Amino acid sequence: MKLIYDFDLPALTELFQSWDEPAYRAKQTWEGLYRHFWNAPEEFTSLSKPLREKLAANLQFAPLSPISQMASSDKQTIKTLFRLHDGQVIETVLMRYGTRNTQNATRSRNTLCISTQAGCAMGCVFCATGQMGFKRHLSSGEIVAQALHYARLLHEQNERVTNIVLMGMGEPFHNYDNTMAAIDRLNDESGFNFGARRFTLSTVGLVPFIRRFADETRQVNLAVSLHAADDETRGAMMPVNKRYPIAEVIEACKYYVHKTGRRITFEWALIHGVNDTPETARKLAVLLKGILCHVNAIPLNPTTGYEGKATDRQRAQIFKETLEQAGVPCTIRMRRGIDIAAGCGQLAGSTS
Ligand code: SAH
Ligand code: SF4
């Protein structure tokens, strides 16, 4: 049975027309899904009962079954483990920033980190998702449904999702078409109306797709996982570097900035003794010279399959200062949700 979230509005309209239902019924259904966050046929009270029954008989509504939900000790990070219809599991993480009372609701930030694949084929050694291997691509509807799950939850508290990062399980550019379809569906003004600029997509550095993404017109932010300034080091951490070495990644990033005028983010997991020396910072600055960019450094989060240790605060600070002295802006990202394995690179669909 087809998943209702896999349809965009024109496709839904076409389906309704094939049932001899007028286009405005499709629009009402669309609004039910993306404005009211209804997720069961019986909730669509704007439709007639026979039509609701037809929807129930022909379309799947609940692609994600929440198996467990965990909150970090400070309650600011929530991770949900979902089971998909075929038994695969994925994780989605909500990070809340700032105050949460009603008066200040508009000032709080709710960033959602969503998955694009079950597992990942890229095999980065320091990443729990890479360590588990590739299971399958998510459909666009399965990606969309993660956002709607949390939109519904926040809506009950008079809040909303403010940012979406495609940095959960999987490599978004390995599942390019479904990922873009999901972004476009959530971006649709007549539905969820989530601004393109409030999405950030992170890629391991699949060069042809960085170029394709640059050629398309979306205003989605792009982050590229670099993690090393020489091919030997990067190749040892990220198998993809053998296919797309650093020079090619940087060329593609320059093309992206030139084409879009947008600032690009480079991600850097700081690993003690591997990629965190001042020499490395200077090498990185040379590599990034002249590119409208900034570096997002994050001390490595622990995973069972990798022995590397996180850079301590002091060394991280020196790395940042060295980069900045060489003209490259750098922020050190706060570690979030480590106690529930919800941090970057820790998502592996484990139920424990
Ligand atoms: N596949 C994409 C997006 C998902 S990973 C990518 O690799 O870019 C999101 C970010 O977390 C990436 O920058 C990734 O390199 C980083 N990451 C992976 N494992 C990590 C770990 N153990 N500690 C810190 N960051 C990690
Ligand atoms: Fe995949 Fe990204 Fe993890 Fe690498 S870091 S294995 S690309 S999810």
Side-chain angles (χ1 to χ4, degrees), residues 127-153:
C127 169
T129 312
Q131 290 158 17
M132 72 182 272
F134 179 69
K135 306 298 181 194
R136 71 167 171 86
H137 294 303
L138 301 189
S139 76
S140 60
E142 288 170 327
I143 300 171
V144 160
Q146 296 169 60
L148 292 177
H149 173 87
Y150 273 104
R152 196 157 43 235
L153 215 80

Side-chain angles (χ1 to χ4, degrees), residues 23-45:
Y24 76 88
R25 291 287 182 212
K27 185 86 190 290
Q28 285 177 325
T29 306
W30 177 261
E31 286 172 357
L33 293 168
Y34 292 99
R35 296 220 154 156
H36 305 297
F37 316 132
W38 295 335
N39 64 345
E42 58 273 17
E43 285 183 285
F44 289 72
T45 43

Side-chain angles (χ1 to χ4, degrees), residues 120-124 126-131 168-171 204 225 345:
C120 182
M122 299 297 135
C124 305
F126 49 83
C127 169
T129 312
Q131 290 158 17
M169 291 167 78
E171 165 51 37
V204 72
S225 299

Side-chain angles (χ1 to χ4, degrees), residues 239-250:
V240 72
N241 196 71
K242 298 188 179 73
R243 182 95 183 266
Y244 302 115
I246 294 176
E248 285 183 34
V249 173
I250 296 296

